């Protein structure tokens, strides 16, 4: 970009709405300076979105911004962290003020909701892409990790599963949503809510946690491998929405989508028998629905049951799966 | 990338050489967890390099990695921070193990030297680019900012100026270096040393500081604007190398390049009259040469003198300048 173009872009980012007291020095110097509270640890995550890979080039920039920040918020939610500051690296082929305005609108709306301050970044010329590094804090030694699941723990998920993949299916069909059901599913694909408050509430009770960004099966396997345990998931108990049931007509197809749907930012977590009673209490204020979907066992592997019997459905990832639905 | 490709890439990044005690949880979970020392503040910077914009697509990946990390290290140096942890977002069009191996070699060599641990990031498919977010620490309220220069302060730079731009001139000519002078200048372009230790030493004496990544004139103006002051720079006092003098034949041309050369990561800083005596002592251990090149005055603007008289050279940025040399 030319110097004037950069000045213009910088004006958009300097006028960001959140001003945290712990930001000693924000945008505008060689680096930003932050005060981290005592007895806290810093939690850091990074996600990149590339046009053509993670979103279509003509996607509404409001939605691109939401997705970029929400995916990072969801990572912090899985750790039980309080999101606090972020850096944004934005690469654009040319100065496009309409796009930039939409992007800032989506970005700031979500950043303001979670009180996340943009503290810096970089703006460069090149193929459209963006990288966000989001930082948060947890009280020392309370972050929820993937490797803490133990045999005997119960397996839970927040919210409903499958809506995001069903919504994407509608979008990729290239047709406008046929009814309000499809409209709702599309909206849920674009605006999945990261479980930020639930993640923080779970710090005191969950033995492990991960966000379902790549699909339940894929992400649960990360917990199982990191914790050296196995699991049985009861697919007939997976929480699915009324809209998903209407979309696919029968519960088994809904469960198949729920097992593989990615990008919906629900949390998958484990809780020991002794902590189980506390779940409702700690989640009360967050009004987060949770569902027990299975149990952790010793050994290796993952078995998926339907009404008590092991399934023989192919589950090779939700994109491929949906294509063959 | 396919799952297998990602596994391979992750193996490269998981085997990174630095293991800091303050990294509670490194690569491999939803986010990393870090302990920040008490009474310290966090300093954060982000830089993106895009193939075709910041480096040629066929540039040796060792050099790309060096440049990416060094430019971030230089930002922290300007703040006086101790570099500590970084996240790497790498976007590649396809899995290229030769490129990746070279990149890791360059990256880890510099990261190890400064004891910087790679704590996470993202690997995605798309046009070649990379974003690094580097974090460091300073004792609370000691970061050197751009806005602290006062009328009466002396203006200094570290090292020599101009070698990087001269080296780039050789590279962009498309011809092999003609002699050892040109070889040395090319090497200095690719491997400019960030002034990390000097920056830390300057925390106790400098009133403001910036790294010269965009050229002395451009970066000094950032200090002047942020501090609401003006300056006179004595171009005849700018430190230049023997090699640059040989390359351009006369001191005035060397000074022109020194005024505008970017990407060389020297520091430009200001020191009050009362702190000036301490400079040699605080920099002693870092063996960093420094040169007084001018003085800060009240008011606005920047005047460049040659042997006491204001210059009338065009100085519209080093790239344009070199083309017209």
């Amino acid at each position: 970009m030319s110097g004037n173009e950069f000045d213009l872009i910088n004006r958009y980012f300097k006028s960001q709405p959140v001003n945290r007291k712990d930001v000693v020095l924000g945008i505008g110097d060689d680096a930003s300076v932050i005060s981290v509270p005592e007895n806290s640890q810093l939690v850091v995550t990074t996600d990149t979105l590339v046009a053509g890979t993670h979103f279509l080039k003509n996607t509404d920039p409001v939605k691109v911004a939401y997705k970029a920040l929400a995916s990072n918020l969801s990572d912090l939610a899985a750790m039980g962290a309080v999101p606090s500051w972020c850096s944004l690296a934005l690469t654009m082929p040319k100065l496009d003020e309409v796009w930039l305005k939409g992007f800032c609108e989506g970005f700031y709306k979500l950043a303001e909701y979670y009180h996340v301050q943009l503290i810096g970044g970089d703006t460069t010329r090149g193929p459209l892409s963006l990288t966000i590094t989001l930082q948060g804090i947890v009280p020392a030694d309370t972050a929820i990790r993937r490797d803490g699941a133990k045999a005997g723990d119960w397996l839970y998920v927040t919210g409903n599963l499958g809506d995001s993949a069903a919504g994407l299916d509608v979008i990729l069909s290239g047709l406008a949503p046929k009814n309000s059901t499809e409209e709702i599913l599309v909206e849920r694909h674009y605006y999945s809510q990261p479980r930020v408050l639930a993640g923080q509430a779970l710090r005191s009770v969950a033995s492990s946690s991960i966000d379902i960004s790549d699909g339940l099966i894929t992400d649960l396997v990360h917990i199982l491998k990191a914790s050296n345990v196995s699991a049985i998931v009861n697919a007939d108990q997976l929480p699915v929405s009324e809209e998903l049931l209407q979309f696919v007509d029968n519960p088994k197809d809904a469960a198949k989508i729920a097992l593989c749907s990615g990008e919906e930012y629900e949390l998958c977590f484990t809780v020991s028998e002794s902590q189980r009673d506390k779940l409702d209490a700690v989640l009360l204020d967050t009004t987060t629905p949770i569902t027990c979907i299975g149990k952790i066992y010793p050994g290796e592997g993952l078995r998926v049951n339907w009404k008590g019997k092991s399934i023989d459905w192919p589950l090779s990832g939700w994109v491929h799966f949906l294509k063959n639905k």
Side-chain angles (χ1 to χ4, degrees), chain A residues 103-176:
Chain A
F103 183 86
C104 285
E105 184 192 322
F107 190 84
Y108 292 152
K109 193 174 168 191
L110 194 57
E112 200 166 11
Y113 187 82
Y114 287 111
H115 202 52
V116 169
Q117 184 167 342
L118 181 65
I119 54 167
D122 198 4
T123 315
T124 51
R125 186 190 290 279
L128 185 61
S129 76
L130 56 145
T131 295
I132 292 176
T133 294
L134 176 65
Q135 308 196 59
I137 47 175
V138 286
D141 304 319
T142 65
I144 317 172
R145 305 161 58 135
R146 294 180 181 179
D147 60 3
K150 299 262 184 308
D153 286 358
W154 297 95
L155 188 60
Y156 282 84
V157 291
T158 60
N160 287 322
L161 303 181
D163 287 356
S164 182
L168 182 62
D169 204 40
V170 175
I171 295 163
L172 292 180
S173 74
L175 304 172

Side-chain angles (χ1 to χ4, degrees), chain A residues 248-320:
Chain A
V248 294
D249 277 341
N250 73 78
K252 211 178 238 184
D253 280 349
K256 288 179 188 176
I257 297 182
L259 284 167
C260 306
S261 173
E263 292 182 48
E264 47 194 352
Y265 310 140
E266 297 298 345
L267 299 179
C268 171
F269 60 97
T270 56
V271 178
S272 70
E273 176 69 28
S274 65
Q275 295 292 313
R276 212 179 172 192
D277 288 346
K278 300 180 192 159
L279 262 178
D280 287 342
V282 300
L283 287 170
L284 188 65
D285 286 346
T286 73
T287 64
T288 309
I290 57 168
T291 309
C292 183
I293 61 162
K295 200 170 178 183
I296 301 295
Y297 293 90
E300 284 185 1
L302 168 62
R303 200 169 88 194
V304 180
N305 282 351
W306 180 262
K307 298 187 178 172
K309 285 187 180 166
S310 186
I311 64 159
D312 54 358
W313 313 330
L315 291 169
S316 61
W318 61 275
V319 173
H320 301 294

Side-chain angles (χ1 to χ4, degrees), chain A residues 61-74:
Chain A
V62 177
K63 295 186 173 77
V64 174
Y66 183 92
K67 182 174 179 171
L69 188 51
S71 67
N72 277 291
L73 286 165
S74 183

